[in-house]
Amino acid sequence: MSNTDANFQQLFPPTSQVNKDNENPTLSVNHLTPTDDQIKDWLQSPQIKQWLRKLLMGIPNNLKVEAINTIIKNVIQNPDKDYQVQFGSSTIGVYVLRWQLWAAYKLPYASGIKTPDCPYTLKKHLDTLD
């Protein structure tokens, strides 16, 4: 039994805090820190509205717009926290590490769930403005 324990520790050495700390600066360097206006402009852009209209989520377009407005309000209050809004079995959310909008919904008469990410990210939006 002690032989197995020794081999286990060799296969899976304990992780040190130093390694974890070295990974975090890379993530924070790549992480965007947009202004409130940049977030609003991106989430209210025609590209986002068009993407939401195409989704067959089973919720009306006016509720999708309301979800985006709720996301904007909450993300501006706390830009380091992901946020999502749920309507029945459909959800729209934003992943703030990549600043990407996503949705999750069940297709009518289907057993699977669709979870598309919006291809129009905040980074793309900012790049088009330059």
Side-chain angles (χ1 to χ4, degrees), residues 1-11:
M1 191 72 145
S2 62
N3 203 9
T4 305
D5 291 339
N7 289 338
F8 180 78
Q9 287 184 357
Q10 289 173 353
L11 291 173

Side-chain angles (χ1 to χ4, degrees), residues 70-122:
T70 303
I71 288 170
I72 290 170
K73 183 184 92 176
N74 287 290
V75 168
I76 286 174
Q77 288 176 358
N78 192 354
D80 295 326
K81 184 179 177 197
D82 296 342
Y83 194 77
Q84 62 191 29
V85 176
Q86 184 171 358
F87 291 100
S89 62
S90 300
T91 306
I92 300 171
V94 66
Y95 180 54
V96 297
L97 183 62
R98 292 181 291 162
W99 286 103
Q100 187 163 27
L101 194 65
W102 58 269
Y105 56 96
K106 185 176 179 182
L107 291 171
Y109 308 109
S111 59
I113 295 177
K114 298 274 285 177
T115 56
D117 288 339
C118 182
Y120 192 69
T121 63
L122 177 62

Side-chain angles (χ1 to χ4, degrees), residues 4-43:
T4 305
D5 291 339
N7 289 338
F8 180 78
Q9 287 184 357
Q10 289 173 353
L11 291 173
F12 302 102
T15 58
S16 67
Q17 189 63 33
V18 176
N19 290 340
K20 289 181 182 177
D21 290 342
N22 287 342
E23 293 173 7
N24 290 338
T26 305
L27 290 176
S28 61
V29 168
N30 293 329
H31 184 66
L32 292 173
T33 51
T35 65
D36 294 353
D37 288 337
Q38 288 172 327
I39 294 169
K40 286 179 194 176
D41 289 344
W42 168 56
L43 290 173

